Amino acid sequence: MAHALAMGRRGMGKSWPNPAVGCVIVKEGRVVGRGATHAGGRPHAEPQALAMAGNHARGATAYVTLEPCSHFGQTPPCAQALIDAGVARVVAAVRDSDPRVDGRGFDMLRAAGIEVTTGVLAEEALHDLAGFFLREAQGRPWVTLKLALSLDGRIATASGESQWITGPGARKAVHALRHSHDAVMVGGGTARADDPALTVRGFGETRQPVRVVVSRFLDLPLMGQLARTAQEVPVWIAHGPDANPDLREAWAGLGATLMPCQLRDGRVDPGSVLQALGAAGLTRVFCEGGGQLAASLLMAELVDEVQVFTAGLALGAEGYPGLGALGIARLGDAPRFELVDVRSEAGDIRHIWRRKTSV
């Protein structure tokens, strides 16, 4: 099952709107087939593993990270494919919460005389598939917030200089995080100040994440990197209902997808943004700031994981803080996270924090 989970992680950031599932087929102690959900969500993991196994699948055990689907969609049910291949046993990590499945896949397998075992490495699978389950249950994707900070929690000098606070190792890790998410999201202020590309680099030819910008008025550079490449790599802009009509037309003409969202306290409501992204099929979103967008997500309890990269320099009180105003008067009102891991990234420190209630 650990092997199947590792296979499934290969599809993270590429398989949406489907979950990133892994499947490993074992016969007589030897792996005879393996597969992961393909880019775009099809083909599923099970038929790819079965194709590799061929006749060796008969009498074998299939390890799958999510309950095999039981419904006809654009492809036949994976449960039926396992039955037709003659596997003797299916070991699944977790049940599929999709109402079209929700135990029916297991029922099909058992009705065909196949032994079914569930709950193996379930906690790991629940975390890996958390974005899929969140979209099913709450209509929103999993949100990872990245912060690259000085020792004193600053993201830029008083003049706005921010490249680069952290070193090459941390930046490579950030590209790996982009690679494992469906979308990279920033606020309009970051898009204006930094003119970011928000693409994955250093991983060869790969499916690029959707680039999401949250900008109430759509007042973004029409000659910037995002605008120039909107027809090559998707750009989605979450904006307010009062966005300038001329700018709507301009961005639509450049190839961007416009997503009208509700306002809250004079800003684009982060909950409305995530609901729109979930409805569009996203399951995992990597937020890279800026400070105000990060603060709004945190106060709305919409951040599931925080990845903090800390560099060994201090910028002082005049530097830009890593987070915008949170309006917290009491410690009890502060959003809290559980420390998951601490590691070195070539001279910088990486902390990973997670909300207990996310999965």
Side-chain angles (χ1 to χ4, degrees):
M1 185 59 74
H3 189 172
L5 286 165
M7 291 297 299
R9 291 177 192 125
R10 295 184 181 184
M12 284 183 172
K14 297 176 283 295
S15 66
W16 67 276
N18 287 348
V21 176
C23 178
V24 173
I25 299 174
V26 176
K27 187 172 186 179
E28 298 175 354
R30 184 171 65 93
V31 172
V32 295
R34 59 183 184 173
T37 310
H38 200 264
R42 294 179 183 83
H44 292 181
E46 296 93 328
Q48 293 184 81
L50 290 170
M52 180 182 290
N55 292 332
H56 294 295
R58 187 162 300 279
T61 297
Y63 295 85
V64 191
T65 58
L66 182 68
E67 175 184 3
C69 63
S70 58
H71 61 286
F72 281 90
Q74 294 186 27
T75 56
C78 291
Q80 188 62 53
L82 291 164
I83 293 168
D84 293 343
V87 301
R89 181 178 180 226
V90 171
V91 180
V94 289
R95 180 168 172 158
D96 191 342
S97 62
D98 187 325
R100 296 171 298 177
V101 186
D102 198 18
R104 295 181 183 86
F106 294 149
D107 292 342
M108 284 180 63
L109 295 169
R110 290 187 176 109
I114 295 174
E115 180 186 349
V116 176
T117 302
T118 63
V120 178
L121 295 186
E123 185 175 351
E124 290 90 334
L126 284 170
H127 174 255
D128 287 354
L129 299 167
F132 169 72
F133 289 123
L134 271 173
R135 189 163 64 87
E136 287 291 322
Q138 300 180 24
R140 72 165 181 91
W142 169 275
V143 175
T144 303
L145 172 63
K146 183 269 290 185
L147 298 172
L149 307 171
S150 64
L151 287 171
D152 50 344
R154 305 291 160 172
I155 58 171
T157 65
S159 66
E161 183 183 357
S162 62
Q163 295 183 341
W164 298 97
I165 288 179
T166 53
R171 295 199 293 275
K172 183 177 180 181
V174 169
H175 279 281
L177 285 165
R178 289 180 181 179
H179 188 254
S180 68
H181 286 74
D182 309 340
V184 178
M185 181 169 68
V186 297
T190 297
R192 288 187 292 271
D194 296 345
D195 188 25
L198 301 181
T199 52
V200 172
R201 298 182 291 279
F203 285 80
E205 291 293 326
T206 185
R207 189 187 194 196
Q208 290 289 343
V210 174
R211 290 145 341 145
V212 178
V213 183
V214 182
S215 174
R216 175 177 175 178
F217 298 114
L218 282 173
D219 51 340
L220 303 168
L222 291 170
M223 295 298 292
Q225 291 196 77
L226 295 174
R228 294 197 307 269
T229 60
Q231 294 188 6
E232 302 165 16
V233 180
V235 173
W236 297 359
I237 308 178
H239 62 83
D242 51 354
N244 186 307
D246 292 336
L247 290 175
R248 293 190 198 190
E249 184 178 353
W251 276 102
L254 289 168
T257 297
L258 302 183
M259 310 182 82
C261 296
Q262 300 171 7
L263 299 180
R264 181 179 180 182
D265 298 329
R267 300 181 183 274
V268 178
D269 178 13
S272 178
V273 172
L274 293 185
Q275 287 295 314
L277 298 181
L282 297 185
T283 64
R284 290 170 54 82
V285 172
F286 185 53
C287 179
E288 296 201 42
Q292 189 54 55
L293 177 60
S296 66
L297 288 166
L298 283 167
M299 290 312 295
E301 298 185 346
L302 294 172
V303 174
D304 303 291
E305 184 171 282
V306 185
Q307 299 250 357
V308 184
F309 295 85
T310 304
L313 77 165
L315 298 180
E318 65 272 31
Y320 284 74
L323 293 176
L326 295 176
I328 294 172
R330 299 184 310 113
L331 285 176
D333 296 331
R336 288 187 178 270
F337 295 82
E338 180 182 27
L339 183 62
V340 175
D341 192 17
V342 179
R343 63 186 74 166
S344 173
E345 294 289 356
D348 298 320
I349 299 297
R350 179 180 182 182
H351 299 154
I352 302 174
W353 303 80
R354 196 170 295 153
R355 268 204 315 142
K356 294 181 180 181
T357 56
S358 294
V359 179

mmCIF file of all heavy atoms in Angstrom, residues 336-357:
data_model
loop_
_atom_site.group_PDB
_atom_site.id
_atom_site.type_symbol
_atom_site.label_atom_id
_atom_site.label_comp_id
_atom_site.label_asym_id
_atom_site.label_seq_id
_atom_site.Cartn_x
_atom_site.Cartn_y
_atom_site.Cartn_z
ATOM 1 N N ARG A 336 -4.476 28.402 14.834
ATOM 2 C CA ARG A 336 -3.388 27.555 15.332
ATOM 3 C C ARG A 336 -3.209 26.324 14.456
ATOM 4 O O ARG A 336 -4.187 25.780 13.931
ATOM 5 C CB ARG A 336 -3.647 27.140 16.780
ATOM 6 C CG ARG A 336 -3.466 28.285 17.785
ATOM 7 C CD ARG A 336 -3.561 27.787 19.215
ATOM 8 N NE ARG A 336 -3.341 28.864 20.169
ATOM 9 C CZ ARG A 336 -2.156 29.208 20.650
ATOM 10 N NH1 ARG A 336 -1.084 28.539 20.269
ATOM 11 N NH2 ARG A 336 -2.049 30.195 21.532
ATOM 12 N N PHE A 337 -1.964 25.891 14.372
ATOM 13 C CA PHE A 337 -1.614 24.744 13.544
ATOM 14 C C PHE A 337 -0.704 23.810 14.328
ATOM 15 O O PHE A 337 -0.032 24.216 15.275
ATOM 16 C CB PHE A 337 -0.910 25.210 12.264
ATOM 17 C CG PHE A 337 -1.783 26.017 11.349
ATOM 18 C CD1 PHE A 337 -1.986 27.370 11.579
ATOM 19 C CD2 PHE A 337 -2.420 25.428 10.277
ATOM 20 C CE1 PHE A 337 -2.811 28.124 10.750
ATOM 21 C CE2 PHE A 337 -3.245 26.162 9.438
ATOM 22 C CZ PHE A 337 -3.436 27.515 9.688
ATOM 23 N N GLU A 338 -0.685 22.564 13.900
ATOM 24 C CA GLU A 338 0.143 21.532 14.528
ATOM 25 C C GLU A 338 1.407 21.329 13.703
ATOM 26 O O GLU A 338 1.343 21.178 12.471
ATOM 27 C CB GLU A 338 -0.637 20.220 14.611
ATOM 28 C CG GLU A 338 0.138 19.081 15.243
ATOM 29 C CD GLU A 338 -0.673 17.791 15.259
ATOM 30 O OE1 GLU A 338 -1.554 17.618 14.398
ATOM 31 O OE2 GLU A 338 -0.410 16.954 16.143
ATOM 32 N N LEU A 339 2.557 21.317 14.350
ATOM 33 C CA LEU A 339 3.826 21.120 13.658
ATOM 34 C C LEU A 339 3.924 19.684 13.150
ATOM 35 O O LEU A 339 3.790 18.733 13.919
ATOM 36 C CB LEU A 339 4.992 21.432 14.593
ATOM 37 C CG LEU A 339 6.394 21.333 13.974
ATOM 38 C CD1 LEU A 339 6.563 22.336 12.840
ATOM 39 C CD2 LEU A 339 7.454 21.550 15.042
ATOM 40 N N VAL A 340 4.178 19.544 11.859
ATOM 41 C CA VAL A 340 4.271 18.230 11.229
ATOM 42 C C VAL A 340 5.718 17.844 10.960
ATOM 43 O O VAL A 340 6.120 16.700 11.160
ATOM 44 C CB VAL A 340 3.464 18.218 9.904
ATOM 45 C CG1 VAL A 340 3.647 16.887 9.174
ATOM 46 C CG2 VAL A 340 1.988 18.479 10.164
ATOM 47 N N ASP A 341 6.525 18.818 10.525
ATOM 48 C CA ASP A 341 7.891 18.471 10.139
ATOM 49 C C ASP A 341 8.755 19.731 10.152
ATOM 50 O O ASP A 341 8.263 20.841 9.944
ATOM 51 C CB ASP A 341 7.897 17.863 8.733
ATOM 52 C CG ASP A 341 9.232 17.219 8.370
ATOM 53 O OD1 ASP A 341 10.030 16.963 9.287
ATOM 54 O OD2 ASP A 341 9.466 16.993 7.170
ATOM 55 N N VAL A 342 10.041 19.548 10.417
ATOM 56 C CA VAL A 342 11.048 20.604 10.311
ATOM 57 C C VAL A 342 12.229 20.015 9.550
ATOM 58 O O VAL A 342 12.702 18.928 9.874
ATOM 59 C CB VAL A 342 11.515 21.110 11.697
ATOM 60 C CG1 VAL A 342 12.578 22.203 11.528
ATOM 61 C CG2 VAL A 342 10.349 21.622 12.518
ATOM 62 N N ARG A 343 12.686 20.741 8.528
ATOM 63 C CA ARG A 343 13.807 20.230 7.757
ATOM 64 C C ARG A 343 14.668 21.378 7.239
ATOM 65 O O ARG A 343 14.212 22.528 7.147
ATOM 66 C CB ARG A 343 13.316 19.372 6.583
ATOM 67 C CG ARG A 343 12.480 20.133 5.561
ATOM 68 C CD ARG A 343 11.903 19.221 4.495
ATOM 69 N NE ARG A 343 10.801 18.412 5.016
ATOM 70 C CZ ARG A 343 9.955 17.737 4.223
ATOM 71 N NH1 ARG A 343 10.101 17.757 2.909
ATOM 72 N NH2 ARG A 343 8.983 17.027 4.753
ATOM 73 N N SER A 344 15.904 21.063 6.890
ATOM 74 C CA SER A 344 16.809 22.053 6.316
ATOM 75 C C SER A 344 16.674 22.053 4.802
ATOM 76 O O SER A 344 16.536 20.995 4.175
ATOM 77 C CB SER A 344 18.249 21.733 6.712
ATOM 78 O OG SER A 344 19.159 22.581 6.044
ATOM 79 N N GLU A 345 16.708 23.257 4.216
ATOM 80 C CA GLU A 345 16.678 23.386 2.762
ATOM 81 C C GLU A 345 17.894 24.196 2.325
ATOM 82 O O GLU A 345 17.811 25.385 2.027
ATOM 83 C CB GLU A 345 15.387 24.085 2.309
ATOM 84 C CG GLU A 345 14.107 23.316 2.567
ATOM 85 C CD GLU A 345 13.930 22.094 1.681
ATOM 86 O OE1 GLU A 345 14.789 21.888 0.789
ATOM 87 O OE2 GLU A 345 12.959 21.345 1.889
ATOM 88 N N ALA A 346 19.046 23.538 2.348
ATOM 89 C CA ALA A 346 20.303 24.146 1.875
ATOM 90 C C ALA A 346 20.583 25.483 2.548
ATOM 91 O O ALA A 346 20.883 26.477 1.894
ATOM 92 C CB ALA A 346 20.259 24.301 0.353
ATOM 93 N N GLY A 347 20.455 25.511 3.853
ATOM 94 C CA GLY A 347 20.774 26.717 4.599
ATOM 95 C C GLY A 347 19.584 27.458 5.152
ATOM 96 O O GLY A 347 19.716 28.285 6.064
ATOM 97 N N ASP A 348 18.411 27.218 4.599
ATOM 98 C CA ASP A 348 17.176 27.771 5.145
ATOM 99 C C ASP A 348 16.459 26.695 5.939
ATOM 100 O O ASP A 348 16.782 25.506 5.839
ATOM 101 C CB ASP A 348 16.263 28.279 4.013
ATOM 102 C CG ASP A 348 16.917 29.414 3.226
ATOM 103 O OD1 ASP A 348 17.560 30.262 3.855
ATOM 104 O OD2 ASP A 348 16.772 29.433 1.987
ATOM 105 N N ILE A 349 15.473 27.104 6.724
ATOM 106 C CA ILE A 349 14.699 26.157 7.519
ATOM 107 C C ILE A 349 13.268 26.114 6.994
ATOM 108 O O ILE A 349 12.660 27.152 6.717
ATOM 109 C CB ILE A 349 14.678 26.556 9.012
ATOM 110 C CG1 ILE A 349 16.102 26.564 9.576
ATOM 111 C CG2 ILE A 349 13.805 25.590 9.818
ATOM 112 C CD1 ILE A 349 16.778 25.216 9.566
ATOM 113 N N ARG A 350 12.757 24.910 6.873
ATOM 114 C CA ARG A 350 11.380 24.711 6.395
ATOM 115 C C ARG A 350 10.547 24.087 7.509
ATOM 116 O O ARG A 350 10.874 23.015 8.013
ATOM 117 C CB ARG A 350 11.387 23.802 5.162
ATOM 118 C CG ARG A 350 10.035 23.481 4.563
ATOM 119 C CD ARG A 350 10.284 22.570 3.361
ATOM 120 N NE ARG A 350 9.092 22.205 2.640
ATOM 121 C CZ ARG A 350 9.085 21.378 1.585
ATOM 122 N NH1 ARG A 350 10.229 20.857 1.154
ATOM 123 N NH2 ARG A 350 7.967 21.077 0.964
ATOM 124 N N HIS A 351 9.473 24.769 7.890
ATOM 125 C CA HIS A 351 8.526 24.261 8.878
ATOM 126 C C HIS A 351 7.232 23.904 8.156
ATOM 127 O O HIS A 351 6.737 24.694 7.340
ATOM 128 C CB HIS A 351 8.194 25.316 9.944
ATOM 129 C CG HIS A 351 9.379 25.778 10.732
ATOM 130 N ND1 HIS A 351 9.437 27.010 11.319
ATOM 131 C CD2 HIS A 351 10.541 25.156 11.034
ATOM 132 C CE1 HIS A 351 10.589 27.148 11.952
ATOM 133 N NE2 HIS A 351 11.267 26.027 11.803
ATOM 134 N N ILE A 352 6.656 22.767 8.478
ATOM 135 C CA ILE A 352 5.369 22.370 7.894
ATOM 136 C C ILE A 352 4.362 22.255 9.028
ATOM 137 O O ILE A 352 4.563 21.509 9.988
ATOM 138 C CB ILE A 352 5.486 21.030 7.131
ATOM 139 C CG1 ILE A 352 6.551 21.146 6.017
ATOM 140 C CG2 ILE A 352 4.140 20.641 6.534
ATOM 141 C CD1 ILE A 352 6.825 19.833 5.310
ATOM 142 N N TRP A 353 3.284 23.011 8.921
ATOM 143 C CA TRP A 353 2.236 23.059 9.941
ATOM 144 C C TRP A 353 0.913 22.667 9.286
ATOM 145 O O TRP A 353 0.664 22.974 8.126
ATOM 146 C CB TRP A 353 2.109 24.478 10.509
ATOM 147 C CG TRP A 353 3.369 25.031 11.102
ATOM 148 C CD1 TRP A 353 4.436 25.589 10.446
ATOM 149 C CD2 TRP A 353 3.688 25.065 12.508
ATOM 150 N NE1 TRP A 353 5.403 25.965 11.344
ATOM 151 C CE2 TRP A 353 4.978 25.671 12.607
ATOM 152 C CE3 TRP A 353 3.032 24.659 13.660
ATOM 153 C CZ2 TRP A 353 5.602 25.867 13.825
ATOM 154 C CZ3 TRP A 353 3.662 24.864 14.873
ATOM 155 C CH2 TRP A 353 4.922 25.458 14.963
ATOM 156 N N ARG A 354 0.060 22.011 10.073
ATOM 157 C CA ARG A 354 -1.202 21.524 9.500
ATOM 158 C C ARG A 354 -2.351 21.698 10.492
ATOM 159 O O ARG A 354 -2.185 21.518 11.697
ATOM 160 C CB ARG A 354 -1.062 20.039 9.115
ATOM 161 C CG ARG A 354 -2.130 19.515 8.187
ATOM 162 C CD ARG A 354 -1.729 18.116 7.710
ATOM 163 N NE ARG A 354 -0.510 18.143 6.903
ATOM 164 C CZ ARG A 354 0.338 17.136 6.788
ATOM 165 N NH1 ARG A 354 0.114 16.010 7.453
ATOM 166 N NH2 ARG A 354 1.411 17.238 6.039
ATOM 167 N N ARG A 355 -3.488 22.063 9.962
ATOM 168 C CA ARG A 355 -4.692 22.152 10.793
ATOM 169 C C ARG A 355 -5.204 20.754 11.075
ATOM 170 O O ARG A 355 -5.378 19.939 10.177
ATOM 171 C CB ARG A 355 -5.796 22.942 10.064
ATOM 172 C CG ARG A 355 -5.786 24.415 10.373
ATOM 173 C CD ARG A 355 -7.124 25.072 10.153
ATOM 174 N NE ARG A 355 -7.781 24.704 8.912
ATOM 175 C CZ ARG A 355 -9.086 24.511 8.803
ATOM 176 N NH1 ARG A 355 -9.868 24.611 9.848
ATOM 177 N NH2 ARG A 355 -9.630 24.220 7.645
ATOM 178 N N LYS A 356 -5.495 20.458 12.349
ATOM 179 C CA LYS A 356 -5.963 19.121 12.722
ATOM 180 C C LYS A 356 -7.308 18.792 12.105
ATOM 181 O O LYS A 356 -7.600 17.640 11.823
ATOM 182 C CB LYS A 356 -6.061 19.005 14.239
ATOM 183 C CG LYS A 356 -4.742 19.068 14.986
ATOM 184 C CD LYS A 356 -4.947 18.913 16.466
ATOM 185 C CE LYS A 356 -3.655 18.983 17.237
ATOM 186 N NZ LYS A 356 -3.858 18.816 18.699
ATOM 187 N N THR A 357 -8.125 19.801 11.873
ATOM 188 C CA THR A 357 -9.503 19.565 11.428
ATOM 189 C C THR A 357 -9.642 19.484 9.921
ATOM 190 O O THR A 357 -10.748 19.387 9.411
ATOM 191 C CB THR A 357 -10.415 20.683 11.934
ATOM 192 O OG1 THR A 357 -9.902 21.952 11.479
ATOM 193 C CG2 THR A 357 -10.479 20.693 13.450
#
